[in-house]
Amino acid sequence: MNIIMIGSGRLATQLALALKDAGHHLLQVCSPTAAHAEALATQVGAEAITTVEELRSDADVYILAVKDSILASLIPVVCKGREDALFVHTAGSMPKDLFKGYARHYGVFYPMQTFSKERRVDFQQIPIFLEADSETALQQIKTLASSISGSVYELSSDDRRYLHLAAVFACNFVNHCFALSADVLRKVHLPFSVMLPLIDETTRKVHELSPVDAQTGPAVREDHNVMQAQSRLLSDDPLMQKIYELMSESIMKSKKVKK
């Protein structure tokens, strides 16, 4: 397929590279930051542009991989004069009907993964969640998704909101816990690297056990003496102390629900 990528961030970069590797033709990369557009366009053999007014009108698919906050305002401009093409956005929390009234064929193409520009990912292992306004558009999006991933699912806008929320807990919040752990370690001049074997084993366990069954630590044992002592260690940081106490409370509640 002939594709135009609108966006040059982390997701856009990894998706464009995967599409190129799968044999698709990237015509243009559009980003308001010229250096970013040029960097990605060079990698995928596309033309770099900085405004949507420069978009070609002969692409099969227009992929909007941009911040949620600008998606609604960008769609009318991107679709105008190109209404017969296929348009998709990559946002986890935004509905497909943002395109309604502006395009005839549209949908959502949501790869659920954390991305960085520098670290290549294997898209074959990434689940991609799709939605479309019609069966025709859905089949086109499925063909595109299946060319880069072995895990393709249909999911409605309403259900995708919950998927995205679950991803925030499983990825974003967990990563923030890593940052909090690093803050604690700095108090005793230890590097975060000492946590990596523990993190790796914790992650491996949930490939075999449910998260509730894999849970360990003072909260699951209801060891209140340890929890109170650890909470006191955080008395200089009330917010972090509150996070510790709420997390411990949630773990104890999960244990009771399981019973």
Side-chain angles (χ1 to χ4, degrees):
M1 294 185 183
N2 292 323
I3 299 169
I4 289 178
M5 182 65 68
I6 300 154
S8 62
R10 291 170 292 183
L11 189 159
T13 295
Q14 295 299 328
L15 179 54
L17 291 169
L19 291 168
K20 177 181 180 294
D21 289 346
H24 298 286
H25 185 201
L26 276 294
L27 302 178
Q28 291 177 313
V29 172
C30 180
S31 172
T33 305
H36 295 172
E38 189 62 45
L40 179 53
T42 299
Q43 292 182 77
V44 298
E47 175 192 8
I49 59 173
T50 57
T51 66
V52 291
E53 286 74 24
E54 300 173 81
L55 289 173
R56 291 171 53 163
S57 299
D58 56 347
D60 302 309
V61 186
Y62 293 79
I63 300 176
L64 288 84
V66 297
K67 293 188 294 185
D68 292 4
S69 58
I70 66 169
L71 191 53
S73 61
L74 202 57
I75 283 172
V77 186
V78 171
C79 295
K80 188 174 182 181
R82 307 174 184 89
E83 290 84 355
D84 288 330
L86 174 64
F87 297 86
V88 297
H89 71 66
T90 61
S93 295
M94 304 298 283
K96 76 175 188 305
D97 285 343
L98 286 176
F99 291 106
K100 193 171 185 178
Y102 300 109
R104 298 187 180 95
H105 313 287
Y106 57 86
V108 178
F109 188 105
Y110 173 52
M112 192 185 67
Q113 183 55 282
T114 178
F115 296 99
S116 62
K117 286 189 177 183
E118 301 78 14
R119 182 178 172 83
R120 286 298 304 268
V121 294
D122 180 6
F123 252 88
Q124 279 297 322
Q125 306 302 316
I126 296 174
I128 301 178
F129 295 88
L130 312 178
E131 187 182 17
D133 73 302
S134 67
E135 187 60 30
T136 299
L138 181 62
Q139 289 308 313
Q140 285 182 278
I141 301 172
K142 273 187 177 179
T143 298
L144 185 64
S146 298
S147 72
I148 61 173
S149 172
S151 301
V152 176
Y153 304 90
E154 293 178 45
L155 196 67
S156 70
S157 289
D158 285 342
D159 289 347
R160 197 174 63 257
R161 292 184 304 160
Y162 287 95
L163 175 71
H164 192 234
L165 174 60
V168 168
F169 275 99
C171 175
N172 307 132
F173 286 177
V174 169
N175 191 75
H176 184 60
C177 285
F178 295 160
L180 296 179
S181 173
D183 287 344
V184 172
L185 290 169
R186 273 193 288 270
K187 294 180 179 180
V188 290
H189 310 292
L190 285 173
F192 181 69
S193 59
V194 301
M195 290 289 136
L196 295 180
L198 176 63
I199 291 168
D200 291 343
E201 178 58 19
T202 301
T203 304
R204 279 193 292 266
K205 281 201 300 184
V206 294
H207 283 262
E208 301 172 9
L209 302 171
S210 74
V212 172
D213 288 334
Q215 187 70 57
T216 60
V220 79
R221 298 191 302 268
E222 296 192 24
D223 193 336
H224 293 282
N225 288 336
V226 172
M227 288 188 286
Q228 288 166 6
Q230 291 184 336
S231 180
R232 285 195 294 271
L233 290 175
L234 298 169
S235 59
D236 62 333
D237 189 336
L239 177 58
M240 194 169 175
Q241 185 180 53
K242 188 66 172 177
I243 291 170
Y244 177 91
E245 292 170 354
L246 287 172
M247 290 285 279
S248 297
E249 181 183 343
S250 183
I251 290 169
M252 288 188 289
K253 181 180 177 182
S254 293
K255 178 186 174 183
K256 288 182 172 67
V257 169
K258 181 188 172 187
K259 288 180 178 179

